[in-house]
Amino acid sequence: MPFPGNKSLIQPKFRQVINKELCRRCKRCILSCGFGALKFENGVVGIAEKCVACHRCVNVCPEGAITIQFSELSYRPHSYWRPDIIEELYCQAETGGVVLASMGNEREFRSYFDHIVIDACQVTNPSIDPLREPMELRTFIGRKPDKIEVEKTHDNHYKLKTKLPRNVVLDTPIIFGGMSLGSISLQAQKALAMAAQRCGILMNSGEGGLHKELHPYAEHIIVQCASGRFGVNREYLERSAMIEIKIGQGAKPGIGGHLPGEKVTAPISETRMIPIGTDALSPAPHHDIYSIEDLRQLIFSLKEATRYEKPVCVKISAVHNVAAIASGITRAGADAIYIDGFRGGTGAAPKTVRDNVGIPIELALAAVDDQLRREGIRNQVSLIAAGGIRTAGDMIKAIGLGADAVAICTAALIALGCHMCQQCHTGNCSWGIATQRPELTRRLDPEWGAERLVNLVNAWSYELKEVLGLLGVNAVESFRGNRERLRGVGLNEVELRILGIKHAGE
Amino acid sequence: MREISGCGHIGIFDQSGKLYDGELVMRAIAAMHERGNGLGGGFAVYGCYPEYRDYYAFHLIFDDEHVRKEAESFLEEKFFIEYAEPIPVEQSKRLYTEKSSGINPEEERPEIVPPLLWRYFAKTQKSDSEKHISDDDYVVSMVMHINEKIDGAYVISSGKNMGVFKGVGYAEDLAEFFKIADYRGYAWVGHTRFPTNTPGWWGGAHPFTLLDWAVTHNGEISSYGINKRHLEMFGYKCTLMTDTEVMTYILDLLIRRHKLPIEIALKAVAPPFWKNIDRMPDEERELIKALRMVYGSLMVNGPFAIIFAWSRGMVGINDRIKLRPMVAGVKGERVFISSEESAIREICPEPDRVWNPRAGQPVIAELKEEPEYAVSRK
């Protein structure tokens, strides 16, 4: 219930400051705001309560006349009852609903990546210059046997006797993680697919089928089979490099998804195979997977359906018992496990779930890698770490902790122009990324987006090569899981034990 | 703390199986004096125990008599011991280490006190439940047990008709101490060490061994952490924290347990680059690709030159971009692998051929005839 007088108690967080002297009243800002936060009344006027600080108006203004500032309204300071908590309570009191949020966990939990440092060569072994020596990043995702057998050929050479399970090749250990058509626009998906093809990596369709405009990129696409099974049929499975069973998502472990009917436009209706305007509900669990043996059946159903030509990956969110779960998934026959930490993003999740459920990817990854090694099955499965990989530094540390590859979503969207306004769930994204409104999505040129994504992936790859070189190795597999080359700074003994690294100075 | 070191080494292999005494290897290693700092040296010899050729020859070091008793009672339980004795040493030989580059070196040379050194010639004595285990696997697990569980005891070597003599001190002093010149063998490996910290432990010197494998190593394995973790999945326990131990186990896993031909195993250890693999003929490309996919965690990365020997052969190999020196030479049936050409020329002034093997390209010497089994100990 709003307060008498129909005014919300929730205060605007930002306000637009418009320099009247610079403004030449072209109204581009008004047209470009997806949230309707600007109007024209004898000049441009901001509607502060609608502003989300997405900076689209700032960007389009030809005169540089707009800036966005924090709202200056102060609450009496209280370290416990903070303004954000007060406003969350107002919001629930007004609506009686679940507060929705987007992107990943925003709370100030310790980021372990920021407490890990990397070794370098000095004197006793030489570092390698990646500009002058080969530096290899090629990565194979999929199951590998314990050993191989060879046999002699008639001309006294050796040839491979063991038949290896199907693996997919990445030119650099980076994957664009699952973001469905619906959560993001077709233009954004196309940019990701084009970039994946140019970089020799993979993008993930997310749940919601594969739009026909993405079919040409099939060799670089991971198709997702999630609890709603939207868009899944045999052609869909075959039009892929790899299949992913999505059990959970880092931002909202244990809950499903809800694409509201107003976002189910014609292209989405077509790819999800549901009528226009109907809500697309993904159940919390897969209703054919209530236990690990059920997962095994789905893994092998998918493999049978694709004649064992596609590796099958299982995506789980990082939860307390993640190590044992990953071991079960490996034994159930998965070729790869995608572990999504609690910093992982989302197009919409209950704020309480986003901010309070799940564990950090660094700890989950280290625990899983250790457990699989203890059981002697680490080589049977590839580990893809995701959920909070922000920079090349994070990626490098994840690889050192044991990841075969990392998946990025939020970082990729930022490359496409996302300003982290965290309003994806509203569908009003002014940048044309997390929206289905045609007048907004057409702002994102897939070719422009693809170029930026290629730049990002190339930049991270250069940085990875640089670090491999200073570590004195020339192939990424010599650093993968090589925790000897990582050290912790400011971590306690339990944290160090779980991460499997020593403290700096040791 | 993981120890790191530079060093020099030499391998001599007679492909006709002819025996010769240890004087050659002594002279060669002395020629590379500058590559050591008195903190470790050692020798491996093949064909030195012909009278016990069917027995595992265990060389052990003990901290004290108490540990020796404990280890011996374990050995007696697990093995039938044919003969045991202290390893003969030149008692009058004093071992020193160079403490620093000191202004007054004579004062700065602390004397080294050797541990107890014993050798045992033994056959396996398995319980009913262990009957299915091969002799070699049995010996490996017993060696692992002693090294890990019996504090103060360490197995220096455990192969048949071969032995390793190593310790702290300059290699040429250790050669005199162990009376290396009195042994005869068809294959010899010598090593002198320049560790950058001072463990001062006899077990930490090279060569490292497992069964009849002996490995010496000049370099630092930058991939150590992942090599070790991969080996642990296959039951190896890397207790010494040295690079060379890891190298020994990798070769044991690939060649003995996974039964890969040596040249293929070496392709896993120092694989070709993808840019070259992509241009290979189909069959070869598929093989090397599979090696890199399956054994990527066993690739040895970082600067190294290694010499490894077993009862039928010897191999020298460099890392993929040759960051440490390795020279090879041939004279008749005799093959030399060394850190320096000078060491080869010292003992073989006019070799038929001397060359610098390319990065990642192994030099392989193998027995063409059965070794000559004259009584080798004078």
Side-chain angles (χ1 to χ4, degrees):
Chain A
M1 290 290 292
F3 204 62
N6 220 15
K7 195 158 184 283
S8 171
L9 292 186
I10 302 168
Q11 299 300 327
K13 291 183 184 50
F14 311 100
R15 62 190 181 89
Q16 306 98 321
V17 180
I18 294 142
N19 184 325
K20 300 278 183 200
E21 283 176 21
L22 292 177
C23 175
R24 58 172 152 108
R25 304 177 169 210
C26 70
K27 300 182 191 173
R28 272 185 222 184
C29 53
I30 297 173
L31 288 172
S32 75
C33 181
F35 295 85
L38 293 155
K39 60 183 178 184
F40 196 81
E41 278 176 7
N42 281 331
V44 176
V45 180
I47 308 168
E49 55 268 34
K50 289 190 177 175
C51 180
V52 298
C54 76
H55 301 174
R56 181 74 187 184
C57 55
V58 176
N59 189 264
V60 298
C61 177
E63 301 299 328
I66 308 176
T67 57
I68 308 295
Q69 294 183 347
F70 282 116
S71 171
E72 284 153 7
L73 184 74
S74 302
Y75 288 82
R76 179 178 291 277
H78 195 293
S79 65
Y80 195 64
W81 294 96
R82 301 184 310 262
D84 59 311
I85 288 172
I86 295 168
E87 293 192 347
E88 190 173 324
L89 294 171
Y90 286 155
C91 178
Q92 291 191 305
E94 284 175 17
T95 63
V98 170
V99 179
L100 287 182
S102 310
M103 305 317 272
N105 192 323
E106 66 171 10
R107 289 173 59 189
E108 288 182 4
F109 288 105
R110 168 169 275 179
S111 162
Y112 289 94
F113 286 131
D114 295 341
H115 292 264
I116 295 174
V117 290
I118 302 166
D119 190 20
C121 293
Q122 296 289 292
V123 183
T124 56
N125 55 355
S127 41
I128 302 170
D129 187 340
L131 295 175
R132 293 174 177 79
E133 305 273 354
M135 201 53 76
E136 301 183 316
L137 305 184
R138 192 179 295 184
T139 298
F140 293 85
I141 300 295
R143 179 169 286 256
K144 282 111 188 151
D146 283 358
K147 61 172 184 175
I148 60 169
E149 286 180 63
V150 298
E151 59 190 2
K152 248 197 168 125
T153 57
H154 57 276
D155 54 352
N156 244 358
H157 286 84
Y158 290 100
K159 70 170 191 181
L160 184 64
K161 199 172 154 196
T162 312
K163 177 136 177 48
L164 258 53
R166 180 60 73 103
N167 274 241
V168 284
V169 187
L170 301 175
D171 286 348
T172 186
I174 302 170
I175 290 172
F176 298 131
M179 291 175 281
S180 71
L181 177 59
S183 75
I184 60 171
S185 62
L186 180 59
Q187 283 77 354
Q189 275 206 332
K190 268 175 78 175
L192 290 164
M194 288 158 72
Q197 188 183 50
R198 290 176 202 173
C199 297
I201 60 168
L202 301 173
M203 69 86 80
N204 187 315
S205 70
E207 171 167 42
L210 194 64
H211 193 274
K212 56 180 181 294
E213 287 188 30
L214 297 179
H215 291 181
Y217 307 97
E219 283 175 25
H220 296 276
I221 290 178
I222 303 170
V223 294
Q224 206 175 61
C225 174
S227 62
R229 299 290 153 84
F230 294 113
V232 178
N233 59 22
R234 187 164 153 189
E235 290 73 43
Y236 172 71
L237 296 176
E238 282 182 349
R239 214 173 268 128
S240 72
M242 182 158 85
I243 300 169
E244 177 176 278
I245 299 171
K246 180 202 169 187
I247 301 292
Q249 185 177 337
K252 43 178 179 176
I255 65 174
H258 179 181
L259 187 69
E262 58 263 34
K263 288 193 187 176
V264 181
T265 53
I268 291 180
S269 147
E270 199 181 330
T271 49
R272 292 214 178 198
M273 303 176 192
I274 52 171
I276 292 174
T278 50
D279 286 7
L281 293 162
S282 298
H286 285 246
H287 283 300
D288 53 359
I289 304 176
Y290 284 5
S291 180
I292 190 77
E293 62 271 23
D294 298 339
L295 175 69
R296 182 177 174 81
Q297 289 204 350
L298 181 59
I299 290 172
F300 281 93
S301 302
L302 294 171
K303 288 190 176 194
E304 285 286 338
T306 50
R307 297 175 302 283
Y308 293 84
E309 281 166 10
K310 314 284 180 193
V312 174
C313 172
V314 175
K315 175 178 177 178
I316 51 170
S317 26
V319 291
H320 301 180
N321 205 20
V322 67
I325 295 164
S327 160
I329 292 170
T330 308
R331 293 176 190 285
D335 301 289
I337 303 175
Y338 180 125
I339 312 168
D340 203 12
F342 75 163
R343 296 283 187 190
T346 175
K351 190 167 183 294
T352 300
V353 174
R354 186 195 73 170
D355 293 348
N356 295 285
V357 183
I359 66 170
I361 184 59
E362 302 93 315
L363 301 179
L365 169 64
V368 168
D369 184 63
D370 270 347
Q371 178 74 23
L372 298 182
R373 286 183 185 281
R374 263 197 299 280
E375 297 183 25
I377 54 175
R378 174 63 181 85
N379 53 320
Q380 293 182 17
V381 76
S382 293
L383 292 181
I384 301 164
I389 309 289
R390 298 160 297 180
T391 59
D394 292 352
M395 165 184 71
I396 292 162
K397 290 166 191 174
I399 291 170
L401 286 172
D404 288 278
V406 298
I408 56 169
C409 297
T410 305
L413 297 189
I414 291 173
L416 290 176
C418 164
H419 279 58
M420 284 297 292
C421 73
Q422 305 164 53
Q423 300 302 311
C424 316
H425 55 285
T426 63
N428 294 327
C429 179
S430 303
W431 295 90
I433 301 167
T435 177
Q436 302 306 321
R437 287 164 54 187
E439 74 277 18
L440 299 177
T441 60
R442 61 180 235 212
R443 294 173 179 181
L444 180 62
D445 173 11
E447 180 55 44
W448 174 86
E451 267 179 46
R452 293 177 62 91
L453 289 165
V454 168
N455 281 345
L456 180 78
V457 171
N458 286 347
W460 285 27
S461 302
Y462 286 132
E463 287 174 319
L464 174 56
K465 287 179 178 182
E466 206 67 60
V467 170
L468 292 178
L470 66 84
L471 284 162
V473 300
N474 49 22
V476 68
E477 56 262 48
S478 294
F479 177 56
R480 181 171 295 129
N482 192 346
R483 300 187 192 168
E484 192 69 28
R485 311 302 300 276
L486 301 176
R487 289 289 186 274
V489 176
L491 297 176
N492 67 36
E493 280 184 23
V494 177
E495 293 166 321
L496 291 167
R497 175 170 56 75
I498 295 168
L499 291 167
I501 58 175
K502 293 177 189 146
H503 201 277
E506 277 186 287
Chain B
M1 175 96 66
R2 187 160 68 95
E3 45 178 270
I4 45 182
S5 61
C7 15
H9 53 183
I10 172 105
I12 314 168
F13 193 90
D14 196 301
Q15 299 188 101
S16 63
K18 207 161 156 290
L19 303 179
Y20 48 97
D21 67 37
E23 202 225 322
L24 281 186
V25 75
M26 276 176 73
R27 275 168 47 209
I29 210 75
M32 295 191 283
H33 177 87
E34 285 296 313
R35 291 189 157 267
N37 66 353
L39 287 173
F43 301 88
V45 50
Y46 290 81
C48 58
Y49 298 133
E51 63 272 45
Y52 293 113
R53 79 181 77 153
D54 297 327
Y55 294 83
Y56 288 97
F58 292 106
H59 286 196
L60 275 85
I61 54 172
F62 307 110
D63 282 357
D64 54 45
E65 283 295 333
H66 177 76
V67 177
R68 181 170 75 86
K69 295 262 161 39
E70 185 188 344
E72 280 185 0
S73 70
F74 175 77
L75 280 172
E76 277 162 12
E77 182 194 327
K78 298 293 181 183
F79 293 92
F80 164 74
I81 298 175
E82 172 69 14
Y83 182 66
E85 64 173 2
I87 294 174
V89 296
E90 184 58 58
Q91 295 294 354
S92 63
K93 181 71 193 172
R94 292 279 167 267
L95 298 168
Y96 297 99
T97 160
E98 202 75 69
K99 198 175 177 188
S100 66
S101 59
I103 294 167
N104 189 351
E106 288 308 315
E107 275 180 6
E108 290 285 324
R109 292 177 70 189
E111 189 175 337
I112 296 157
V113 183
L116 302 178
L117 300 151
W118 277 72
R119 64 185 167 200
Y120 306 84
F121 299 93
K123 284 189 171 170
T124 59
Q125 187 169 283
K126 300 178 211 169
S127 67
D128 285 345
S129 63
E130 293 163 336
K131 284 277 188 286
H132 66 282
I133 306 171
S134 77
D135 276 3
D136 280 355
D137 282 339
Y138 182 83
V139 170
V140 169
S141 66
M142 294 309 146
V143 168
M144 296 275 165
H145 179 93
I146 294 172
N147 290 351
E148 197 193 4
K149 298 280 161 60
I150 305 181
D151 197 21
Y154 182 70
V155 182
I156 299 285
S157 65
S158 55
K160 288 178 179 171
N161 198 12
M162 62 82 70
V164 165
F165 304 90
K166 66 179 186 179
V168 179
Y170 278 100
E172 55 269 34
D173 291 344
L174 285 159
E176 284 182 47
F177 175 75
F178 280 115
K179 305 193 219 183
I180 289 299
D182 289 356
Y183 295 90
R184 284 164 62 77
Y186 54 89
W188 283 90
V189 182
H191 186 267
T192 184
R193 196 157 172 254
F194 198 130
T196 39
N197 57 2
T198 52
W201 181 54
W202 284 50
H206 299 208
F208 279 91
T209 64
L210 191 65
L211 298 169
D212 68 341
W213 293 99
V215 179
T216 65
H217 169 238
N218 172 14
E220 178 170 341
I221 302 179
S222 307
S223 56
Y224 173 85
I226 187 57
N227 298 149
K228 168 175 172 283
R229 293 181 81 212
H230 194 84
L231 287 167
E232 281 167 354
M233 287 212 307
F234 293 88
Y236 294 91
K237 298 183 179 79
C238 302
T239 47
L240 299 178
M241 300 296 276
T242 69
D243 295 344
T244 318
E245 182 189 32
V246 161
M247 185 73 87
T248 311
Y249 297 160
I250 289 173
L251 295 170
D252 182 66
L253 178 68
L254 294 176
I255 298 171
R256 186 177 65 84
R257 285 175 60 188
H258 289 179
K259 300 195 166 42
L260 290 177
I262 286 170
E263 55 265 49
I264 301 299
L266 294 174
K267 287 262 190 287
V269 172
F273 285 94
W274 285 115
K275 66 183 167 68
N276 298 329
I277 296 171
D278 291 341
R279 289 201 300 262
M280 288 175 178
D282 289 355
E283 239 172 38
E284 192 184 0
R285 189 180 61 239
E286 285 312 301
L287 173 60
I288 305 296
K289 184 177 145 196
L291 273 179
R292 289 200 64 174
M293 284 169 68
V294 173
Y295 294 118
S297 300
L298 293 181
M299 178 202 300
V300 179
N301 216 319
F304 71 81
I306 57 165
I307 297 174
F308 70 93
W310 70 104
S311 54
R312 303 206 59 85
M314 184 182 287
V315 168
I317 186 170
N318 265 131
D319 62 82
R320 325 165 75 200
I321 50 176
K322 193 149 181 158
L323 294 170
R324 288 287 156 97
M326 188 178 86
V327 185
V330 173
K331 174 85 175 176
E333 290 300 333
R334 209 162 273 185
V335 178
F336 305 89
I337 304 163
S338 172
S339 300
E340 292 182 13
E341 188 175 333
S342 64
I344 298 177
R345 299 258 178 209
E346 168 69 24
I347 54 174
C348 176
E350 288 179 4
D352 301 339
R353 192 157 84 93
V354 176
W355 75 99
N356 274 292
R358 299 186 61 159
Q361 296 291 323
V363 177
I364 303 179
E366 283 185 277
L367 276 182
K368 294 176 180 167
E369 292 161 45
E370 287 310 300
E372 171 196 331
Y373 282 133
V375 173
S376 69
R377 282 189 301 154
K378 286 174 189 166

